[in-house]
Amino acid sequence: KGIKRHPAVDSNGFPLTIVISRANVHDSKGAIGLAIDTVCKYPTIRVLKADNGYRGPFVKNLKERLFVELEYVKSNFGTSGFKPISGRWGVERTLSWLESFRRLNRNYEQFIHTAKAIAMAACAMFMLRFV
């Protein structure tokens, strides 16, 4: 039971695309679908930033096949105080915005495509607030 949301966001934290996977899928496998979806929709993107959970043997071929480079951003977990890390705060802020929607707080959907549609609708709602 459960799902994982893998969002790709721009430098302002606004979502470009979201890939939904089951909770038992490792992050490195979710990164492949996310990179393919992001590069197909936005072909000018050449660098993607991700945390260390997306590191793995599956994403090593991204540069050769999709011509996109994956940079890993370390977290500051365990340090005192808040220090925003470039390339990481946008995704964390987007995920916290998504958690503010009651429908996304728990997984009510039976199908992955329904969960993606609900997440995209929530993204559209919070993006309209900033216009």
Side-chain angles (χ1 to χ4, degrees), residues 115-129:
K116 182 176 180 176
I118 297 293
M120 292 302 287
C123 289
M125 287 174 62
F126 74 71
M127 286 176 64
L128 285 173
R129 277 191 286 186

Side-chain angles (χ1 to χ4, degrees), residues 12-124:
N12 292 323
F14 296 129
L16 301 173
T17 184
I18 295 178
V19 172
I20 308 288
S21 66
R22 300 208 183 277
N24 62 353
V25 175
H26 193 268
D27 286 344
S28 62
K29 291 182 183 177
I32 296 170
L34 181 64
I36 291 171
D37 197 25
T38 305
V39 171
C40 288
K41 289 181 180 176
Y42 305 97
T44 59
I45 292 178
R46 292 292 164 233
V47 176
L48 295 174
K49 293 185 179 182
D51 65 356
N52 285 329
Y54 288 95
R55 188 180 298 254
F58 298 105
V59 296
K60 290 182 181 178
N61 297 329
L62 288 178
K63 191 168 186 176
E64 298 169 0
R65 295 187 181 178
L66 295 178
F67 307 109
V68 70
E69 187 176 340
L70 196 60
E71 289 182 5
Y72 298 104
V73 181
K74 290 188 175 185
S75 70
N76 59 357
F77 183 73
T79 61
S80 63
F82 173 73
K83 295 175 186 148
I85 300 174
S86 176
R88 195 176 165 97
W89 68 270
V91 174
E92 298 296 334
R93 185 175 71 170
T94 302
L95 289 173
S96 69
W97 283 340
L98 289 175
E99 288 298 320
S100 69
F101 287 90
R102 188 174 59 151
R103 181 74 184 251
L104 297 177
N105 233 354
R106 293 213 173 110
N107 186 21
Y108 296 110
E109 285 76 25
Q110 291 181 344
F111 303 108
I112 296 289
H113 62 276
T114 308
K116 182 176 180 176
I118 297 293
M120 292 302 287
C123 289

